[in-house]
Amino acid sequence: MSLHKNRCLLYNQVVMPYSDALIWQRTLLEERIKNPSLEDVLILLEHPPVYTLGQGGKSEFLKFDQTNSMYEVHRVERGGEVTYHCPGQLVGYPILNLQRYRKDLHWYLRQLEEVLIRTLKIYGLQGERNPGFTGVWLEGCKVAAIGIKVSRWITMHGFALNVCPDMSGFERIVPCGIADKPVGSLTQWIPDISLLEVRSGVAKCFAEVFDVELVIQTPVD
């Protein structure tokens, strides 16, 4: 018998196009709005290069013409400004029914930060919160961005942790709308860090912070 209060289905995907992951998340969300007893889900994956803007995100934070662009850009229903995803960045999408945890969005954001801070601690790195901003910072560099959407207390979207990505994509935006603070990746501190290893660390810390039993699922095609 599990000692944890809830089970959470874990999907460890490889690289998945952003639009496919978005459809998947929306489907999982709608299913759980219709049937709140369905189990929670955590998706861990990477995306091909893509820019995303939050619902109220300002186009001025893109340093290129969105109407005539070679770059894939999506405006989506999460909070927050513009961010960049690419291989080497670990993206996590928790689809959680917060009625099982706490119906408090600030609490939920702090819990996501805590998952990433604990993950960094595995490597002897001191992740920090920055008052007034959402995300996780390491020696003044933002290494993880967080943006969520919640409907009927069920979450979608989530977090992005820069493990070993090509950081040049961030030069074409003002990341998260913050012009005066640099973004960083874990390779700056641990050059040979493995994304596969970080995946398992994030999953372990997620299970601890949310007190769930992770149940590994077969990746979807």
Side-chain angles (χ1 to χ4, degrees):
M1 183 176 163
S2 170
L3 299 174
H4 301 288
K5 200 160 75 169
N6 299 305
R7 282 164 38 110
C8 181
L9 310 181
L10 173 63
Y11 288 92
N12 258 311
Q13 298 293 133
V14 284
V15 179
M16 176 181 270
Y18 187 83
S19 52
D20 291 353
L22 189 57
I23 291 166
W24 187 17
Q25 286 187 78
R26 286 172 176 164
T27 301
L28 292 169
L29 178 80
E30 287 304 318
E31 287 171 352
R32 280 151 182 79
I33 286 173
K34 287 177 187 161
N35 181 3
S37 66
L38 288 174
E39 288 173 310
D40 294 329
V41 173
L42 172 63
I43 302 167
L44 295 177
L45 45 63
E46 298 168 74
H47 288 307
V50 61
Y51 293 95
T52 76
L53 284 153
Q55 204 157 22
K58 299 180 184 68
S59 297
E60 67 210 54
F61 292 136
L62 295 172
K63 297 180 183 176
F64 56 87
D65 180 1
Q66 198 179 337
T67 59
N68 182 27
S69 167
M70 60 184 282
Y71 310 116
E72 193 178 335
V73 180
H74 293 269
R75 185 176 287 278
V76 294
E77 61 273 79
R78 66 166 171 79
E81 291 290 345
V82 62
T83 195
Y84 176 64
H85 301 302
C86 67
Q89 180 194 72
L90 182 62
V91 177
Y93 295 132
I95 315 293
L96 304 185
N97 185 341
L98 292 183
Q99 297 192 70
R100 296 181 179 136
Y101 304 90
R102 189 184 297 183
K103 294 196 287 186
D104 181 333
L105 300 191
H106 292 289
W107 173 86
Y108 177 57
L109 290 168
R110 302 295 82 78
Q111 296 301 97
L112 292 182
E113 290 168 348
E114 183 64 21
V115 169
L116 300 170
I117 287 168
R118 290 192 191 191
T119 302
L120 297 187
K121 199 171 180 183
I122 295 170
Y123 296 92
L125 300 173
Q126 183 65 55
E128 296 175 338
R129 295 178 175 88
N130 193 326
F133 297 100
T134 299
V136 175
W137 310 71
L138 198 47
E139 295 179 15
C141 294
K142 188 170 189 179
V143 293
I146 294 172
I148 64 166
K149 163 74 175 175
V150 178
S151 299
R152 310 263 183 93
W153 294 111
I154 296 167
T155 69
M156 66 178 286
H157 295 290
F159 58 83
L161 175 62
N162 296 330
V163 180
C164 50
D166 174 0
M167 297 294 287
S168 63
F170 285 101
E171 294 166 11
R172 294 187 281 269
I173 59 172
V174 179
C176 304
I178 305 170
D180 60 346
K181 292 182 172 60
V183 288
S185 79
L186 302 191
T187 49
Q188 292 167 232
W189 289 268
I190 305 173
D192 60 348
I193 195 163
S194 141
L195 193 133
L196 194 63
E197 196 182 305
V198 174
R199 274 177 182 261
S200 88
V202 166
K204 174 178 169 290
C205 294
F206 184 91
E208 284 174 7
V209 169
F210 287 96
D211 188 22
V212 293
E213 178 195 356
L214 289 177
V215 183
I216 296 171
Q217 305 295 295
T218 305
V220 301
D221 295 330

